[in-house]
DNA sequence: ATCTAAACGAGACGGTACGTCAGGTCTTGGT
DNA sequence: ACCAAGACCTGACGTACCGTCTCGTTTAGAT
């Protein structure tokens, strides 16, 4: 997800021997996994179920993905293929609000995305190897994208000198994941604004707007 | 965890017939679960494994706990039995720092605690029923404890009028869980101080101390 | 098969703990295996198929039998439970004819028996461990039974001195198995008489009857 | 085996277009199958294993052989290419002893032969189609060869009038296969002599030699 | 000197069955 | 009534091979 997809593209040697991979099968698998996910929930997705729903042999799944989590990570990439553009809005608060509300909006628009994120984070907790993968493929690219926003603000002089930028990243993504995982409050547009404002205050941004009355 | 255990104590009728529940068995089960957790990780803990390690029949586990997650939640309560006292330190930032550094310290002192929290949160994602339980038994009590700190600050006039206290709770616990789950940075004492300070800034606390030079 | 079943009866300690083995399940499994065998042939019998047909979990089969061949050997014992009585008919040729025609008749009366014998012998060729089992449980008991017939003849003085009795056993059972496996000729009653007569001649029995005109 | 191979040679049209069959590949396949057979046993030979060991695509095997058993039958022909000559030794017992001891000696000299025979007979039990093939290609030619020996004896007047020659064939080959399959006794030269003698007795041959003192 | 067609190596494909693991339920005898 | 033991049915796991199907690459005879 985000603009990082190019990074993870499989690099295929110019010519390969043997029967080439079936793109049909790949798409059927990803589509079946997505369908099962939305109909039965992440926990009820099984390799056997996906294979049956996709009309595919189990081995064809295992040939290309090492585990359910690896498959679901690809499903996430497929579903969230659209990059979240990071336009420069001229101020830290504006940039933050743009980044966060775009992110929140994506999660709201495609209900599979929260389900995928929650399931992937869950599996990462039960499988240390996959946690490393998830950090590399998902967590770090998103942190880098938000870090770029902060770097721009720093260049503008909007950050207090010596401000710990990792702290701000943890606050922003912590808020996001916490709401996602606990589900006690939605990722509403208003929440994006409030979070952006709070981050600006925490960052000591002199330009922090007056809090709107609502 | 925290002082909430009394709330959820099973209510036993004053007198019951038949052989009473074996406290030995209960303790053996919890101890075996804790032992397996630390030795093999949450994901590798199975009911069968716990029963075998505890020298107990599977049924004895199912009689008292409905699932692995319910058992592990009790293990967590057992392990984190000590209440985190919430002394009034006289200022929002002081109270926050106390609350957070006590929390972080507990997680550092007892390595099973982070493992349990991560595993429980993971299972909650895969089992909606347990997510509700986890919120009731763990998430909400902790939010209430921190909310008390904020209420005290509000009484002191340290919060900006109209400050969204839930936002602050989400920021605080989001930070905590995000670090716990992703593992990219430790829950160090310094992080507790930095987080407390950032929360004060976000809360618009007029008393926010000058950021210490480190 | 034959009277050897007592030899292989599982000896259970007087009292065992835990849920006792389900005799219902055992019978359902054996019956389903027998049914599949007759309907689809030995090669098409699978553990999964038997489990499904018997309404039983695969594990319940694997708990009690180590492999398809072990299960089918038990099916054979079940099916051929009736002992073949070895009456003393007063002469080698009479005894031989009785033994052989009883054996042939059993195979003709219960069509599953030839199918089982052929399948078991086949599996024994592909699995050396099972060959040893088959010899112990099936081959040797039958050889012992026929050896008793020969010993009686020897006591009567019907065998040439120094006659190699193993040779006669190999001739008799070789004939039987060869017809069974190759299927070029049936195990007809007349074949039993002819075989008995030929064995008497080979044994140098002085009492060998004139060959009937047919 | 025996001299029958010419009978089953594939008939190739005088000229065919396209790339001709690779003799290298054919030999590599047969050699790899033979090697796997001796190293791992018949049951562990798989088409995939043979293809990998021969450095050949699976399709190249399926193009020329319909199944593992068909391939192994060709391996047997390759290995037992030398015809067993059937010299006329002047008497039934001499001819029989020659035929049988040549056969036994071949099996002893080339250990792959017993392994192949056992495996082929096993597969024939599990696959009725292949049983027919095996009878046509292996069983019947050998019976015909031995039948020739008996016909010669009959011409010499060594057989009792009306002697059932099929009975003698079944006795001879039954003995051979039974020892091969059960493995309780070797195919030793002495066994060939004893079997030949017993067959002569069973055949009522007047020339039956006195049994040697051993 | 092309062109055509079949065989070749490689290996992906949809399947079947394997043998194992654990889940959650049940049925014993023993305390 | 509870307990340890352990058998039960269920369902998914990951693996091994099956026999079939593309691929791109030879290797011949026919044109």
């Amino acid at each position: 997800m985000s603009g990082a997809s190019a990074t993870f593209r499989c690099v295929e040697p110019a010519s390969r021997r043997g029967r080439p991979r079936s793109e049909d099968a790949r798409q059927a698998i990803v589509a079946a996994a997505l369908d099962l996910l939305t109909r039965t929930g992440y926990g009820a997705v099984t390799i056997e179920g996906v294979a049956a729903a996709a009309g595919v042999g189990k081995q064809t799944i295992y040939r290309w993905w090492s585990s359910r989590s690896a498959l679901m990570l690809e499903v996430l990439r497929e579903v969230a293929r659209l990059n979240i553009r990071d336009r420069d809005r001229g101020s830290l608060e504006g940039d933050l609000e743009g980044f966060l509300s775009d992110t929140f909006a994506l999660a709201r628009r495609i209900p599979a995305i929260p389900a995928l994120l929650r399931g992937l984070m869950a599996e990462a907790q039960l499988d240390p190897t996959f946690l490393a993968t998830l950090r590399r493929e998902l967590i770090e690219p998103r942190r880098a994208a938000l870090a770029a926003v902060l770097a721009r603000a720093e260049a503008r002089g909007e950050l207090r000198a010596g401000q710990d930028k990792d702290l701000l990243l943890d606050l922003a993504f912590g808020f996001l994941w916490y709401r996602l995982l606990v589900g006690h409050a939605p990722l509403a547009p208003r929440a994006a604004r409030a979070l952006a404002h709070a981050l600006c205050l925490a960052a000591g941004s002199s330009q922090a707007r007056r809090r709107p009355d609502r």
Side-chain angles (χ1 to χ4, degrees), chain A residues 25 29 47-48 50-52 54-64:
Chain A
I29 290 164
I47 298 285
E48 295 215 323
V50 172
V56 140
K58 279 200 290 179
Q59 200 62 254
T60 301
I61 299 183
Y62 283 113
R63 215 185 326 267
W64 300 108

Side-chain angles (χ1 to χ4, degrees), chain A residues 78-189:
Chain A
E78 200 86 356
V79 153
R81 202 177 311 152
L82 316 172
N83 290 353
I84 294 179
R85 64 255 157 241
D86 173 21
R87 294 187 274 102
D88 187 337
R89 289 167 176 85
S91 73
L92 173 58
E93 186 159 2
D95 284 1
L96 280 175
E97 195 182 314
F99 182 96
L100 293 168
S101 62
D102 283 359
T103 302
F104 287 20
L106 187 62
R108 279 198 315 276
R109 197 170 65 248
I110 306 176
I113 287 183
L116 279 165
L117 293 175
R118 295 172 60 206
L120 290 170
M121 186 59 90
E123 286 206 297
Q125 303 311 308
L126 304 174
D127 173 1
T129 300
F130 180 64
L131 177 54
T133 303
L134 190 69
R135 279 166 63 170
R136 182 165 24 83
E137 305 277 323
L138 178 65
I139 303 291
E140 291 303 339
R142 294 302 290 153
R143 288 179 74 89
L146 188 52
V149 167
L150 296 182
R152 214 155 50 218
E154 186 167 45
R156 287 192 206 105
E158 290 184 286
L159 260 47
R160 183 181 36 242
Q163 171 65 46
D164 178 353
K165 290 197 283 296
D166 277 341
L167 174 68
L168 296 175
L169 295 180
D170 288 350
L171 281 171
F173 288 114
F175 179 96
L176 168 60
W177 279 103
Y178 183 65
R179 289 216 167 175
L180 215 42
L181 297 172
V182 176
H184 60 295
L187 293 176

